[in-house]
Amino acid sequence: MQTSMDSFEYNWKTPNESAKSSQREPEQVVSAASIYFASEEEAIGVEQLFAEPEYGDIVDTLLDFNTCAFSLPESYIKEFSASESVVTNSDCDAVQRGLSEEDKTREKFLDGLSNGYDENHCSISCEDYLLDIELEEETPTLDDVTRDVSCIGNVNLEKKLADSEQRNCDVHVLKLSDASTSSDHDALDKFEDMSTDKLLEVFRKMFGHQTSVADKQWLESHMIFGLENQEMSDKNYIPPACQNLLTVSTAFASIFNFRTKPRVQQVKRREHIQWNSFKCLSSAAENVKCDGTKLGISEQNLKCKPSRGGFGRRYYHRGAKVSQGLGKRNFQVGCIQIPPGLPIEERLIRREGHLSKDCRAIRAYNSNIHSAEAQDDPSGTLSDQSSDNSSEDDWTIGSETRGTNQDRKHNKYWSTTEVLKLVEGVSKYGVGRWSDIKRMYFQSSVHRSPADLKDKWRNLLRASCRRLQSRRGVDAKKKHGVSRIPHEVLNRVRELAVIYPYSRKHRTRISPTASLASSSNVESDSQLSMNEQNTLNLTY
DNA sequence: GTTAGGG
DNA sequence: CCCTAAC
């Protein structure tokens, strides 16, 4: 990426430095994501907005497919700025003002941008997934617990580990509050000093094309984003196609800089869509106007995206509140889980207008789980499979009937996919909410009951523990080829065990002696994990 | 109905 | 994976 910025300098923090600095100021975290979206809900809403077929023409018009850049014509910008006041009933307003159908559609689109695509347009079909945001704020959730944890995998190592500054592990985590704090402010100051012409010039150098947008704030936000991604590209080469993707996503997101105040609107959220939302949005670059002619972004290329997950985080900070301009923002609920890698399959979600949005989201989620292991699926059709017919994987092939106990119902061995989903579910819901995990991640898996999930988690804990022990001696399991659960998964299990000690609930209500005995096991698990943390690779 | 835990 | 106690 061309990033020569004349005399402009930008000093990047390492992840560890960022983590330290944000630890010092836990309340004053600044989120790059919140620069663009006031909340995850907006991000989700806008993703859906762009996905609506009825706005296809508008989106197509606004996208420059030569440069993969998205820009709003000035007329749109003016309308968009003005549309802040148009909160509801835009159709009625439009009719009263005698607007044409095209105008009305455009107004609805702009209104959708303004409002993060309000719920009237967002036909969420499953009320189970909807939570009133106020209720969410009243009720402590796992997200609250993990608000400061690493974004990748939802693991709070910085706080959990007293020796976090000394460990030399390969921590590819970037806290929500990092990297874009003081450095971005410095950058912003420099941008603010520049004239619009200068900004345009820098923009051209940075993104490789000119823009007709002369709005200074818009340009500044682009620069900031470009710089952020410069850091990523320094460490991880990003193919040109991916750079285009970044650019487009930036442009999409930057639209929201026109919002200067948080929207007072009843906000609902879909719990299950945390990172999938990002995926949908980022896929816009590939899908918009590219009907049948994708940009040629290979899945492998997508996986070259910044491994720290910063890309996604820039857009989806749930609960982040936007103050004026690029000022500091406070988190209420902060953690977004960033999945490993960014799969490309199932990226045409946005144009699948016939499916319910929940259906699409779940499919997309499943596809991501699949992609974690099925990276070389040439047909890209894995996403069309349901979540429970994907059990062929690295360590369960041919083993489903290994057991011969006729009394057992199915004895279906757990696939990597299922384990990943379980881990993901525990990441999100914590240990003990097996029904919720079942509902959200194993709904179509009739042979996995909540009790099964619980049992599997228990076994995973044991497995992760055994692995640590075997490290020190003979790796008997490996020798016998029994445990072929990826190390990353086991690491992740142990990380989660630190956060959600197994059977916490039970420990509080059993007898003191039994509690002692029981908790000693639990603690040993956790303690073991703690001691081994410096060997963990958190990039899972 | 859900969960923990022993088997 | 089954079973049961506890909730």
Side-chain angles (χ1 to χ4, degrees), chain A residues 24-253:
Chain A
R24 285 193 292 270
E25 292 182 308
E27 292 85 19
Q28 289 252 299
V29 294
V30 173
S31 143
S34 55
I35 291 173
Y36 304 107
F37 287 121
S39 67
E40 180 197 9
E41 291 79 10
E42 281 187 28
I44 294 170
V46 170
E47 159 239 317
Q48 290 164 344
L49 177 73
F50 279 94
E52 281 298 314
E54 82 174 291
Y55 300 130
D57 291 341
I58 294 175
V59 173
D60 292 350
T61 301
L62 299 182
L63 265 174
D64 178 349
F65 296 101
N66 292 322
T67 60
C68 259
F70 180 95
S71 60
L72 280 175
E74 285 192 25
S75 60
Y76 274 65
I77 293 171
K78 287 171 184 171
E79 280 192 48
F80 182 74
S81 302
S83 67
E84 277 284 343
S85 59
V86 184
V87 177
T88 56
N89 298 327
S90 62
D91 283 345
C92 298
D93 294 342
V95 169
Q96 288 171 1
R97 281 176 284 158
L99 297 180
S100 68
E101 283 300 318
E102 183 181 353
D103 289 338
K104 280 188 286 187
T105 303
R106 192 169 68 167
E107 180 154 332
K108 274 177 67 180
F109 176 78
L110 292 168
D111 191 30
L113 287 183
S114 167
N115 291 304
Y117 199 40
D118 76 39
E119 61 196 71
N120 293 327
H121 301 136
C122 179
S123 56
I124 296 172
S125 58
C126 181
E127 292 300 322
D128 288 343
Y129 298 151
L130 298 180
L131 284 181
D132 189 302
I133 194 69
E134 291 178 0
L135 183 63
E136 178 191 8
E137 288 172 0
E138 290 172 5
T139 308
T141 66
L142 291 173
D143 294 319
D144 296 320
V145 174
T146 58
R147 54 187 293 176
D148 285 323
V149 307
S150 65
C151 290
I152 298 178
N154 205 7
V155 182
N156 184 0
L157 291 177
E158 283 77 14
K159 280 203 162 184
K160 290 285 182 183
L161 299 178
D163 61 341
S164 62
E165 294 188 8
Q166 296 173 359
R167 64 203 159 86
N168 57 351
C169 56
D170 181 21
V171 183
H172 288 272
V173 296
L174 189 61
K175 298 186 67 172
L176 293 177
S177 50
D178 71 0
S180 55
T181 53
S182 59
S183 297
D184 271 5
H185 286 160
D186 293 343
L188 181 62
D189 289 341
K190 303 221 176 184
F191 288 137
E192 284 178 342
D193 292 340
M194 292 184 186
S195 66
T196 303
D197 288 342
K198 180 68 177 173
L199 284 172
L200 286 170
E201 181 186 343
V202 175
F203 181 98
R204 184 177 56 77
K205 289 180 179 177
M206 182 180 290
F207 294 101
H209 63 88
Q210 291 182 319
T211 176
S212 58
V213 178
D215 183 275
K216 211 172 168 183
Q217 193 178 8
W218 188 91
L219 290 167
E220 287 167 1
S221 66
H222 263 65
M223 308 304 179
I224 297 288
F225 186 92
L227 287 171
E228 291 168 354
N229 286 295
Q230 176 192 8
E231 178 208 22
M232 299 174 190
S233 59
D234 286 345
K235 296 180 179 179
N236 307 277
Y237 169 69
I238 302 178
C242 291
Q243 293 174 21
N244 285 339
L245 195 61
L246 293 175
T247 305
V248 173
S249 295
T250 308
F252 279 24

Side-chain angles (χ1 to χ4, degrees), chain A residues 488-505:
Chain A
E488 293 81 5
V489 176
L490 295 180
N491 286 338
R492 178 74 179 121
V493 169
R494 282 186 293 126
E495 292 167 10
L496 290 168
V498 175
I499 302 174
Y500 312 115
Y502 190 71
S503 68
R504 279 177 304 182
K505 190 176 172 183

